Amino acid sequence: MKNYTITVNGNVYDVTVEEKGAGAAAAAPKAAPAAAPKAAPAPAAAPKAAGAGKIQVKAGAAGKVFQIPTSVGQSVQPGDAVVIIEAMKMEIPVVAPEAGTIASIDVAVGDAVEAGAVLATLN
């Protein structure tokens, strides 16, 4: 398996390609180094834990972070947009699940995110 990041019309996609046939044996040694870069985002998770709040705001769909209309320390009510994701040419607001104060924003505009990824935390 090989992992690639592809940008199409400004949209970033992470793609995994499985190799079959004679090239598959050669792909196995290359798959191990590809796993090492995946470990790189884990250190980015460490700062999240340091300033993370108790309530997680998670992406409902995969896409690209389009806008962040909130900031750390801002009060939000249930249903307030915390982050806006662009997916399939639509802007999808990711809303606060309950009232609180933004403790951390764990993404930046332009970041590609997967469904279920923690985008921000609240206290």
Side-chain angles (χ1 to χ4, degrees), residues 25-71:
K30 291 181 182 178
K38 281 190 171 186
K48 289 184 209 173
K54 297 175 184 174
I55 305 162
Q56 295 181 336
V57 179
K58 296 182 179 183
K64 184 173 83 170
V65 177
F66 178 72
Q67 184 180 22
I68 304 173
T70 57
S71 59

Side-chain angles (χ1 to χ4, degrees), residues 108-121:
V109 172
D111 286 356
V113 296
E114 297 295 324
V118 176
L119 307 178
T121 59

Side-chain angles (χ1 to χ4, degrees), residues 15 36 50 53 58 64 74 83 122:
V15 180
K58 296 182 179 183
K64 184 173 83 170
Q74 180 178 340
V83 176
L122 308 174

Side-chain angles (χ1 to χ4, degrees), residues 7-102:
T7 303
V8 178
N9 295 332
N11 293 322
V12 179
Y13 301 94
D14 291 327
V15 180
T16 302
V17 178
E18 181 178 349
E19 294 183 22
K20 293 188 177 189
K30 291 181 182 178
K38 281 190 171 186
K48 289 184 209 173
K54 297 175 184 174
I55 305 162
Q56 295 181 336
V57 179
K58 296 182 179 183
K64 184 173 83 170
V65 177
F66 178 72
Q67 184 180 22
I68 304 173
T70 57
S71 59
V72 173
Q74 180 178 340
S75 293
V76 292
Q77 295 300 315
D80 287 352
V82 176
V83 176
I84 298 174
I85 293 176
E86 179 183 32
M88 300 188 300
K89 297 187 180 188
M90 296 183 344
E91 294 175 17
I92 303 168
V94 180
V95 299
E98 56 187 83
T101 303
I102 304 287

